Amino acid sequence: ETGVTQTPRHLVMGMTNKKSLKCEQHLGHNAMYWYKQSAKKPLELMFVYNFKEQTENNSVPSRFSPECPNSSHLFLHLHTLQPEDSALYLCASSQAGTGDQGTQYFGPGTRLLVL
Amino acid sequence: KQEVTQIPAALSVPEGENLVLNCSFTDSAIYNLQWFRQDPGKGLTSLLLIQSSQREQTSGRLNASLDKSSGRSTLYIAASQPGDSATYLCAVRYSSASKIIFGSGTRLSIRP
């Protein structure tokens, strides 16, 4: 088991629902990431937070809304999703800063199905 | 456009063989490169990370090399075991802050 946890592990939601994914890291890292992994596509970086500040939004639709209240927690708020948003959503963390190693540690992911 | 390519997409070899997985990237100005394994339905597990100033990293039966000039990295697995069966992903970071790009992965199957 890694030091990065994600809940829920599985989620089924309708297109009109609002749900949130949660990620927590217990590694003392200061950078956190959301990735989307769809079938037969490379892992896609969605958002990056460094020291609780969003440093990258990789052209993600506004129906995905991230929140990083502190360095240990990261949320992904979901609303009015589309069936093509069904995927495995992975959270990762790393130690950011000058000269850091940058090794990313991943959580187990949330398998999302949008009906 | 910065891209990361992994070939082959799938590989099946008998147990005990040594094998090499390939990763190529289009922009040589990388910050670091990381190899991961992913088991079905699971998250990613970091295997090796190579900084741009390094040529290789080793961990147990794994050895990763980096050749920035040719835009290539290889992951060498010695004496393969059925437990090595997984998808292996290569990820390139282009700055210290972010900009990480993943390859599509190589799905490895080790036959007993």
Side-chain angles (χ1 to χ4, degrees):
Chain A
E1 189 68 20
T2 69
V4 181
T5 58
Q6 290 187 242
T7 55
R9 295 293 306 276
H10 298 87
L11 178 62
V12 179
M13 59 186 290
M15 290 189 284
T16 59
N17 292 158
K18 290 184 180 181
K19 298 287 184 182
S20 295
L21 310 185
K22 178 183 177 182
C23 175
E24 183 173 0
Q25 59 94 2
H26 313 275
L27 301 170
H29 291 161
N30 48 31
M32 297 188 77
Y33 313 77
W34 278 118
Y35 288 90
K36 176 183 178 183
Q37 188 174 39
S38 305
K40 300 181 180 179
K41 291 179 66 176
L43 203 62
E44 299 172 75
L45 179 66
M46 299 175 71
F47 301 103
V48 181
Y49 278 81
N50 284 280
F51 298 95
K52 301 187 299 179
E53 298 297 322
Q54 187 180 125
T55 55
E56 182 149 346
N57 176 336
N58 203 21
S59 302
V60 180
S62 60
R63 58 186 183 270
F64 295 91
S65 175
E67 178 190 0
C68 188
N70 55 62
S71 294
S72 298
H73 294 85
L74 185 65
F75 295 90
L76 187 62
H77 303 299
L78 316 171
H79 63 98
T80 60
L81 294 192
Q82 303 298 312
E84 59 264 31
D85 296 322
S86 299
L88 180 67
Y89 288 85
L90 292 162
C91 173
S93 70
S94 70
Q95 188 65 22
T98 303
D100 68 278
Q101 290 297 307
T103 299
Q104 292 188 65
Y105 296 84
F106 281 77
T110 295
R111 176 72 62 182
L112 174 66
L113 177 61
V114 182
L115 300 176
Chain B
K1 180 181 178 184
Q2 294 165 332
E3 293 183 343
V4 178
T5 304
Q6 291 186 248
I7 295 173
L11 180 64
S12 179
V13 300
E15 180 178 4
E17 280 199 7
N18 303 325
L19 58 99
V20 175
L21 305 180
N22 297 297
C23 173
S24 61
F25 43 94
T26 54
D27 184 344
S28 63
I30 70 171
Y31 182 74
N32 63 35
L33 183 146
Q34 194 166 2
W35 282 94
F36 296 87
R37 72 173 278 168
Q38 184 176 28
D39 294 285
K42 301 286 183 66
L44 278 64
T45 300
S46 177
L47 297 173
L48 291 164
L49 180 141
I50 310 177
Q51 300 293 348
S52 63
S53 59
Q54 298 174 323
R55 295 298 299 271
E56 66 176 347
Q57 285 286 328
T58 298
S59 176
R61 294 182 293 108
L62 306 179
N63 176 277
S65 68
L66 175 64
D67 184 345
K68 287 193 303 179
S69 62
S70 65
R72 293 177 59 188
S73 175
T74 62
L75 179 67
Y76 175 82
I77 302 177
S80 59
Q81 303 171 358
D84 295 329
S85 298
T87 296
Y88 289 80
L89 295 160
C90 166
V92 175
R93 185 194 287 260
Y94 283 100
S95 73
S96 61
S98 56
K99 196 62 176 179
I100 302 160
I101 300 176
F102 277 80
S104 298
T106 294
R107 190 172 67 255
L108 177 64
S109 176
I110 306 299
R111 305 189 301 270

